[in-house]
Amino acid sequence: MIKDLGPDRVDKLQEIVDQVFIPCNLNMSLCYLKLKGYSTAVHFATEVLNKDEKNIKALYRRGTAYIYLSEFEKAKEDLKLANSVAPEDKDVQQAFELLKTKKKQSSEKEKMLSRKILEGVSFSDGREISPQPQSTAQENSKPKSGGFLDRLNGIRTTFRNIFHKICRRKAKKNLSLIHI
């Protein structure tokens, strides 16, 4: 049907589509960021960047979505490029601060989970992974999410049981390096 319009009209329609493509995809990316649909926000921002590699809004929005998806290296790349294009953009600077904060929080969560999983495990050289230090009174006053903590403790117990089985098998074969 579009071909029936003639080459001049098809070119004109393509021009119109090209003019609204970037703003529409930028708006969709923003909407999905607000709705916390970060993967979809990345998709729409990427569509814009396929047409305009240095679109600041698209780089900022995709970088922000990557932060919330915990894809910190990708976020850093997009935000660096956005910063090189517009170093005075305050939104990009705030996104860098958000990146630092989220990265630090993620690292702390990983350390805490690792410590919980390995809590009470001792090694053949006498080293022991001690329990997590006592939390402050302020942290103790916060309500705890029973469902999440129960699942976390279940995972920890499963890992400890597997670890114990492996160690017992090694002990039976006189290959034990770790004593529990």
Side-chain angles (χ1 to χ4, degrees):
M1 182 172 178
I2 293 178
K3 291 180 182 178
D4 296 339
L5 297 175
D8 293 339
R9 291 285 303 238
V10 171
D11 291 341
K12 185 67 173 169
L13 285 174
Q14 187 61 46
E15 255 181 63
I16 293 170
V17 168
D18 289 343
Q19 287 176 357
V20 297
F21 180 83
I22 289 177
C24 286
N25 280 286
L26 284 172
N27 288 342
M28 291 297 288
S29 181
L30 177 61
C31 289
Y32 278 100
L33 267 176
K34 297 284 185 184
L35 294 171
K36 298 181 181 178
Y38 302 118
S39 296
T40 310
V42 166
H43 167 75
F44 284 110
T46 301
E47 288 292 320
V48 172
L49 292 169
N50 288 337
K51 294 243 183 213
D52 180 6
E53 295 174 351
K54 293 186 178 183
N55 187 296
I56 298 164
K57 286 183 181 180
L59 288 166
Y60 164 75
R61 290 177 186 164
R62 188 170 76 173
T64 303
Y66 279 144
I67 291 170
Y68 288 106
L69 291 170
S70 298
E71 295 186 32
F72 301 124
E73 290 307 312
K74 290 180 179 179
K76 187 176 179 181
E77 287 175 26
D78 282 349
L79 295 175
K80 273 187 175 181
L81 185 54
N83 193 47
S84 69
V85 173
E88 71 285 344
D89 194 314
K90 290 181 182 177
D91 289 333
V92 174
Q93 300 306 319
Q94 288 175 343
F96 269 117
E97 292 301 316
L98 178 64
L99 174 62
K100 288 178 191 175
T101 303
K102 291 290 186 183
K103 211 171 179 181
K104 184 177 179 184
Q105 288 173 350
S106 177
S107 176
E108 288 171 0
K109 282 182 185 178
E110 286 176 17
K111 286 178 187 176
M112 183 190 74
L113 287 173
S114 297
R115 184 166 294 283
K116 281 281 192 187
I117 289 170
L118 297 174
E119 189 175 276
V121 174
S122 61
F123 297 92
S124 62
D125 62 0
R127 291 180 297 143
E128 186 173 303
I129 298 176
S130 61
Q132 183 176 354
Q134 293 295 322
S135 56
T136 63
Q138 182 183 15
E139 290 174 349
N140 286 335
S141 67
K142 294 179 184 175
K144 297 193 174 18
S145 169
F148 174 75
L149 292 177
D150 290 342
R151 285 182 287 179
L152 184 61
N153 283 330
I155 292 169
R156 186 180 118 221
T157 303
T158 302
F159 277 113
R160 289 179 84 186
N161 289 340
I162 291 169
F163 186 75
H164 286 282
K165 283 182 182 179
I166 292 169
C167 290
R168 274 184 253 142
R169 286 181 187 160
K170 284 185 177 183
K172 285 180 183 178
K173 294 179 181 179
N174 293 324
L175 299 173
S176 179
L177 297 175
I178 301 174
H179 301 286
I180 298 176

